[in-house]
Amino acid sequence: MILDETDRRILRVLQRKGRISNADLSEEVNLSASACHRRVQRLETEGYVRDYVALLNARKMGLPTTVFVEITLSTQADDVLDAFETAVQRVPAVLECHLMAGTADYILKVVAEDTEDFARIHRQYLTRLPGVAQMQSSFALRTVFKTTALPV
């Protein structure tokens, strides 16, 4: 499926206002309500729209500390990579895990209450992940810019 400009307008609006009604969306993208609804359904079916979520305020939720953890594994064997990837998904404080090219094998984005809470997460979860040979943690001092919207 090729996205036309109308599809792109719909996607831009949905990224900013996921709870917008079809009537308001159709007005914003200058389409009839039925045509807009069909396009949104097609975008969902084709996988362009993966989910609709509520984005929570980490500070209000008591998790203002963001830590980026670089992890180097003991080996690149498939079974070790698979075991690590399965286990890391079960760590509640890990928001993201990326397989990397470069010095570290993985980088994790972790949230915590404070440094003491991160020390607990590190001790209780991260050090027990399979295959971990080395970890380096970097604390974010301040979030300068953050978005979930992809360029469309």
Short mmCIF file of all heavy atoms in Angstrom, two decimals, residues 106-147:
data_model
loop_
_atom_site.label_atom_id
_atom_site.label_comp_id
_atom_site.label_asym_id
_atom_site.label_seq_id
_atom_site.Cartn_x
_atom_site.Cartn_y
_atom_site.Cartn_z
N TYR A 106 23.58 -4.22 23.56
CA TYR A 106 22.22 -3.72 23.77
C TYR A 106 22.28 -2.40 24.51
O TYR A 106 23.21 -2.14 25.27
CB TYR A 106 21.39 -4.69 24.62
CG TYR A 106 21.06 -5.98 23.92
CD1 TYR A 106 21.88 -7.10 24.05
CD2 TYR A 106 19.92 -6.09 23.13
CE1 TYR A 106 21.57 -8.28 23.41
CE2 TYR A 106 19.61 -7.28 22.48
CZ TYR A 106 20.45 -8.37 22.63
OH TYR A 106 20.14 -9.54 21.98
N ILE A 107 21.25 -1.59 24.30
CA ILE A 107 21.05 -0.41 25.14
C ILE A 107 19.62 -0.47 25.64
O ILE A 107 18.69 -0.76 24.89
CB ILE A 107 21.37 0.91 24.42
CG1 ILE A 107 21.35 2.07 25.42
CG2 ILE A 107 20.43 1.16 23.27
CD1 ILE A 107 22.07 3.30 24.93
N LEU A 108 19.46 -0.25 26.94
CA LEU A 108 18.15 -0.28 27.59
C LEU A 108 17.81 1.12 28.06
O LEU A 108 18.67 1.88 28.49
CB LEU A 108 18.17 -1.19 28.83
CG LEU A 108 18.74 -2.59 28.70
CD1 LEU A 108 18.67 -3.31 30.04
CD2 LEU A 108 18.02 -3.36 27.63
N LYS A 109 16.53 1.44 28.00
CA LYS A 109 16.01 2.66 28.61
C LYS A 109 15.23 2.21 29.83
O LYS A 109 14.25 1.47 29.71
CB LYS A 109 15.12 3.43 27.64
CG LYS A 109 14.57 4.72 28.22
CD LYS A 109 13.72 5.44 27.19
CE LYS A 109 13.14 6.72 27.75
NZ LYS A 109 12.29 7.38 26.74
N VAL A 110 15.67 2.65 30.99
CA VAL A 110 15.11 2.21 32.26
C VAL A 110 14.58 3.42 33.02
O VAL A 110 15.20 4.48 33.01
CB VAL A 110 16.20 1.50 33.12
CG1 VAL A 110 15.64 1.02 34.46
CG2 VAL A 110 16.80 0.33 32.35
N VAL A 111 13.43 3.26 33.69
CA VAL A 111 12.92 4.33 34.55
C VAL A 111 12.98 3.87 36.00
O VAL A 111 12.84 2.68 36.29
CB VAL A 111 11.47 4.74 34.19
CG1 VAL A 111 11.43 5.45 32.86
CG2 VAL A 111 10.53 3.56 34.21
N ALA A 112 13.19 4.85 36.88
CA ALA A 112 13.31 4.55 38.31
C ALA A 112 12.84 5.74 39.12
O ALA A 112 12.72 6.86 38.60
CB ALA A 112 14.75 4.21 38.66
N GLU A 113 12.59 5.49 40.40
CA GLU A 113 12.19 6.58 41.31
C GLU A 113 13.36 7.53 41.55
O GLU A 113 13.20 8.74 41.59
CB GLU A 113 11.73 6.00 42.66
CG GLU A 113 10.47 5.17 42.57
CD GLU A 113 10.16 4.45 43.88
OE1 GLU A 113 10.79 4.77 44.92
OE2 GLU A 113 9.31 3.56 43.85
N ASP A 114 14.56 6.96 41.75
CA ASP A 114 15.76 7.72 42.06
C ASP A 114 16.96 6.79 41.92
O ASP A 114 16.81 5.65 41.48
CB ASP A 114 15.68 8.33 43.47
CG ASP A 114 15.29 7.29 44.54
OD1 ASP A 114 15.60 6.09 44.35
OD2 ASP A 114 14.70 7.69 45.55
N THR A 115 18.14 7.25 42.33
CA THR A 115 19.33 6.41 42.19
C THR A 115 19.26 5.17 43.06
O THR A 115 19.73 4.10 42.66
CB THR A 115 20.61 7.21 42.53
OG1 THR A 115 20.49 7.75 43.84
CG2 THR A 115 20.84 8.32 41.52
N GLU A 116 18.68 5.30 44.22
CA GLU A 116 18.54 4.13 45.11
C GLU A 116 17.62 3.07 44.48
O GLU A 116 17.90 1.88 44.54
CB GLU A 116 17.98 4.59 46.46
CG GLU A 116 18.00 3.54 47.53
CD GLU A 116 17.55 4.09 48.87
OE1 GLU A 116 18.19 5.06 49.34
OE2 GLU A 116 16.57 3.57 49.42
N ASP A 117 16.53 3.52 43.88
CA ASP A 117 15.63 2.59 43.21
C ASP A 117 16.33 1.94 42.02
O ASP A 117 16.18 0.74 41.77
CB ASP A 117 14.36 3.31 42.75
CG ASP A 117 13.32 2.37 42.16
OD1 ASP A 117 13.12 1.26 42.72
OD2 ASP A 117 12.70 2.74 41.15
N PHE A 118 17.12 2.72 41.26
CA PHE A 118 17.85 2.13 40.15
C PHE A 118 18.85 1.09 40.66
O PHE A 118 19.02 0.03 40.04
CB PHE A 118 18.57 3.17 39.29
CG PHE A 118 19.37 2.51 38.21
CD1 PHE A 118 18.74 1.95 37.10
CD2 PHE A 118 20.75 2.40 38.30
CE1 PHE A 118 19.45 1.29 36.11
CE2 PHE A 118 21.48 1.74 37.32
CZ PHE A 118 20.83 1.19 36.22
N ALA A 119 19.50 1.35 41.79
CA ALA A 119 20.44 0.38 42.35
C ALA A 119 19.70 -0.93 42.66
O ALA A 119 20.24 -2.03 42.41
CB ALA A 119 21.09 0.93 43.61
N ARG A 120 18.48 -0.84 43.15
CA ARG A 120 17.67 -2.04 43.41
C ARG A 120 17.35 -2.77 42.10
O ARG A 120 17.49 -3.99 42.01
CB ARG A 120 16.37 -1.65 44.12
CG ARG A 120 15.44 -2.83 44.38
CD ARG A 120 14.04 -2.38 44.80
NE ARG A 120 13.35 -1.59 43.80
CZ ARG A 120 12.76 -2.08 42.71
NH1 ARG A 120 12.78 -3.37 42.46
NH2 ARG A 120 12.16 -1.28 41.84
N ILE A 121 16.92 -2.03 41.08
CA ILE A 121 16.60 -2.63 39.77
C ILE A 121 17.84 -3.30 39.19
O ILE A 121 17.78 -4.41 38.68
CB ILE A 121 16.06 -1.54 38.81
CG1 ILE A 121 14.71 -1.02 39.29
CG2 ILE A 121 15.97 -2.07 37.38
CD1 ILE A 121 14.28 0.29 38.66
N HIS A 122 18.97 -2.62 39.31
CA HIS A 122 20.24 -3.14 38.82
C HIS A 122 20.57 -4.46 39.52
O HIS A 122 20.88 -5.46 38.87
CB HIS A 122 21.34 -2.10 39.07
CG HIS A 122 22.67 -2.47 38.54
ND1 HIS A 122 23.55 -3.25 39.25
CD2 HIS A 122 23.28 -2.18 37.35
CE1 HIS A 122 24.66 -3.41 38.53
NE2 HIS A 122 24.51 -2.78 37.38
N ARG A 123 20.49 -4.45 40.84
CA ARG A 123 20.85 -5.62 41.64
C ARG A 123 19.85 -6.77 41.45
O ARG A 123 20.22 -7.91 41.27
CB ARG A 123 20.93 -5.20 43.11
CG ARG A 123 21.42 -6.25 44.07
CD ARG A 123 21.55 -5.70 45.51
NE ARG A 123 20.33 -5.10 46.00
CZ ARG A 123 20.11 -3.78 46.12
NH1 ARG A 123 21.04 -2.92 45.79
NH2 ARG A 123 18.97 -3.32 46.58
N GLN A 124 18.57 -6.42 41.47
CA GLN A 124 17.51 -7.44 41.45
C GLN A 124 17.25 -8.01 40.06
O GLN A 124 16.88 -9.17 39.93
CB GLN A 124 16.22 -6.82 42.01
CG GLN A 124 15.09 -7.79 42.21
CD GLN A 124 13.90 -7.11 42.89
OE1 GLN A 124 13.97 -5.96 43.33
NE2 GLN A 124 12.80 -7.82 42.97
N TYR A 125 17.41 -7.19 39.02
CA TYR A 125 17.05 -7.64 37.67
C TYR A 125 18.21 -7.66 36.68
O TYR A 125 18.47 -8.67 36.04
CB TYR A 125 15.94 -6.75 37.09
CG TYR A 125 14.64 -6.82 37.82
CD1 TYR A 125 14.24 -5.79 38.67
CD2 TYR A 125 13.78 -7.90 37.64
CE1 TYR A 125 13.03 -5.86 39.34
CE2 TYR A 125 12.57 -7.97 38.30
CZ TYR A 125 12.20 -6.94 39.15
OH TYR A 125 11.00 -7.01 39.80
N LEU A 126 18.85 -6.52 36.51
CA LEU A 126 19.81 -6.37 35.41
C LEU A 126 21.02 -7.29 35.55
O LEU A 126 21.45 -7.89 34.56
CB LEU A 126 20.24 -4.91 35.26
CG LEU A 126 19.10 -3.91 35.01
CD1 LEU A 126 19.66 -2.50 34.86
CD2 LEU A 126 18.27 -4.31 33.81
N THR A 127 21.57 -7.41 36.75
CA THR A 127 22.74 -8.28 36.94
C THR A 127 22.39 -9.75 36.76
O THR A 127 23.29 -10.57 36.56
CB THR A 127 23.36 -8.09 38.33
OG1 THR A 127 22.37 -8.38 39.33
CG2 THR A 127 23.89 -6.68 38.50
N ARG A 128 21.12 -10.09 36.81
CA ARG A 128 20.70 -11.48 36.67
C ARG A 128 20.28 -11.85 35.25
O ARG A 128 19.89 -12.99 34.99
CB ARG A 128 19.54 -11.76 37.62
CG ARG A 128 19.95 -11.59 39.07
CD ARG A 128 18.81 -11.83 40.00
NE ARG A 128 19.23 -11.54 41.38
CZ ARG A 128 18.47 -11.69 42.42
NH1 ARG A 128 17.23 -12.14 42.29
NH2 ARG A 128 18.92 -11.41 43.63
N LEU A 129 20.34 -10.90 34.33
CA LEU A 129 19.99 -11.20 32.94
C LEU A 129 21.02 -12.17 32.36
O LEU A 129 22.22 -12.04 32.63
CB LEU A 129 19.93 -9.91 32.11
CG LEU A 129 18.77 -8.98 32.41
CD1 LEU A 129 18.98 -7.63 31.72
CD2 LEU A 129 17.44 -9.60 31.99
N PRO A 130 20.57 -13.14 31.56
CA PRO A 130 21.50 -14.15 31.04
C PRO A 130 22.52 -13.57 30.07
O PRO A 130 22.20 -12.73 29.24
CB PRO A 130 20.58 -15.14 30.31
CG PRO A 130 19.26 -14.50 30.19
CD PRO A 130 19.19 -13.38 31.16
N GLY A 131 23.77 -14.03 30.24
CA GLY A 131 24.82 -13.69 29.29
C GLY A 131 25.49 -12.35 29.49
O GLY A 131 26.39 -11.99 28.72
N VAL A 132 25.11 -11.60 30.51
CA VAL A 132 25.67 -10.26 30.69
C VAL A 132 27.12 -10.35 31.18
O VAL A 132 27.40 -10.97 32.20
CB VAL A 132 24.83 -9.42 31.68
CG1 VAL A 132 25.51 -8.09 31.97
CG2 VAL A 132 23.44 -9.18 31.11
N ALA A 133 28.02 -9.71 30.44
CA ALA A 133 29.43 -9.67 30.83
C ALA A 133 29.79 -8.30 31.41
O ALA A 133 30.62 -8.21 32.31
CB ALA A 133 30.31 -9.96 29.63
N GLN A 134 29.14 -7.25 30.89
CA GLN A 134 29.50 -5.90 31.32
C GLN A 134 28.29 -4.98 31.17
O GLN A 134 27.50 -5.14 30.24
CB GLN A 134 30.65 -5.39 30.47
CG GLN A 134 31.20 -4.05 30.86
CD GLN A 134 32.39 -3.66 30.00
OE1 GLN A 134 32.94 -4.48 29.26
NE2 GLN A 134 32.77 -2.41 30.07
N MET A 135 28.18 -4.01 32.09
CA MET A 135 27.12 -3.01 32.02
C MET A 135 27.70 -1.63 32.31
O MET A 135 28.58 -1.51 33.16
CB MET A 135 26.04 -3.29 33.08
CG MET A 135 24.94 -4.16 32.62
SD MET A 135 23.60 -4.22 33.81
CE MET A 135 24.26 -5.35 35.01
N GLN A 136 27.17 -0.64 31.61
CA GLN A 136 27.52 0.75 31.89
C GLN A 136 26.24 1.56 31.91
O GLN A 136 25.46 1.52 30.95
CB GLN A 136 28.46 1.30 30.83
CG GLN A 136 28.68 2.78 31.00
CD GLN A 136 30.09 3.20 30.74
OE1 GLN A 136 30.97 2.38 30.55
NE2 GLN A 136 30.31 4.50 30.73
N SER A 137 26.01 2.27 32.99
CA SER A 137 24.77 3.03 33.16
C SER A 137 25.05 4.52 33.07
O SER A 137 26.02 5.02 33.65
CB SER A 137 24.13 2.72 34.51
OG SER A 137 23.88 1.33 34.62
N SER A 138 24.18 5.24 32.35
CA SER A 138 24.27 6.69 32.24
C SER A 138 22.93 7.29 32.63
O SER A 138 21.90 6.92 32.07
CB SER A 138 24.61 7.10 30.80
OG SER A 138 25.85 6.57 30.41
N PHE A 139 22.96 8.19 33.60
CA PHE A 139 21.74 8.83 34.07
C PHE A 139 21.45 10.08 33.25
O PHE A 139 22.34 10.91 33.05
CB PHE A 139 21.89 9.23 35.55
CG PHE A 139 21.80 8.06 36.48
CD1 PHE A 139 22.86 7.17 36.62
CD2 PHE A 139 20.64 7.84 37.22
CE1 PHE A 139 22.78 6.09 37.48
CE2 PHE A 139 20.55 6.76 38.07
CZ PHE A 139 21.63 5.88 38.20
N ALA A 140 20.23 10.20 32.78
CA ALA A 140 19.81 11.41 32.08
C ALA A 140 19.63 12.51 33.13
O ALA A 140 18.94 12.32 34.13
CB ALA A 140 18.50 11.16 31.34
N LEU A 141 20.26 13.65 32.89
CA LEU A 141 20.12 14.77 33.82
C LEU A 141 18.82 15.54 33.58
O LEU A 141 18.19 16.03 34.51
CB LEU A 141 21.31 15.72 33.68
CG LEU A 141 22.67 15.11 34.00
CD1 LEU A 141 23.77 16.13 33.75
CD2 LEU A 141 22.70 14.60 35.44
N ARG A 142 18.45 15.62 32.29
CA ARG A 142 17.24 16.34 31.93
C ARG A 142 16.84 15.89 30.53
O ARG A 142 17.68 15.66 29.68
CB ARG A 142 17.53 17.84 31.92
CG ARG A 142 16.38 18.73 31.54
CD ARG A 142 16.67 20.20 31.81
NE ARG A 142 17.89 20.70 31.19
CZ ARG A 142 17.95 21.33 30.03
NH1 ARG A 142 16.86 21.59 29.36
NH2 ARG A 142 19.10 21.76 29.55
N THR A 143 15.54 15.76 30.31
CA THR A 143 15.05 15.44 28.97
C THR A 143 14.85 16.74 28.23
O THR A 143 14.02 17.55 28.60
CB THR A 143 13.73 14.63 29.03
OG1 THR A 143 13.98 13.42 29.74
CG2 THR A 143 13.21 14.32 27.65
N VAL A 144 15.62 16.95 27.19
CA VAL A 144 15.56 18.17 26.40
C VAL A 144 14.41 18.10 25.41
O VAL A 144 13.69 19.06 25.20
CB VAL A 144 16.90 18.40 25.67
CG1 VAL A 144 16.83 19.63 24.77
CG2 VAL A 144 18.03 18.52 26.68
N PHE A 145 14.22 16.92 24.82
CA PHE A 145 13.20 16.75 23.78
C PHE A 145 12.77 15.30 23.78
O PHE A 145 13.60 14.40 23.93
CB PHE A 145 13.79 17.13 22.42
CG PHE A 145 12.89 16.83 21.26
CD1 PHE A 145 11.77 17.60 21.00
CD2 PHE A 145 13.16 15.76 20.43
CE1 PHE A 145 10.94 17.32 19.93
CE2 PHE A 145 12.34 15.47 19.35
CZ PHE A 145 11.23 16.25 19.11
N LYS A 146 11.48 15.07 23.63
CA LYS A 146 10.97 13.71 23.60
C LYS A 146 9.67 13.70 22.80
O LYS A 146 8.81 14.56 23.00
CB LYS A 146 10.70 13.23 25.04
CG LYS A 146 10.17 11.84 25.14
CD LYS A 146 9.97 11.49 26.62
CE LYS A 146 9.43 10.10 26.77
NZ LYS A 146 9.27 9.75 28.20
N THR A 147 9.54 12.74 21.90
CA THR A 147 8.31 12.59 21.15
C THR A 147 8.09 11.13 20.85
O THR A 147 9.04 10.34 20.87
CB THR A 147 8.34 13.41 19.84
OG1 THR A 147 7.07 13.28 19.19
CG2 THR A 147 9.43 12.94 18.89
#
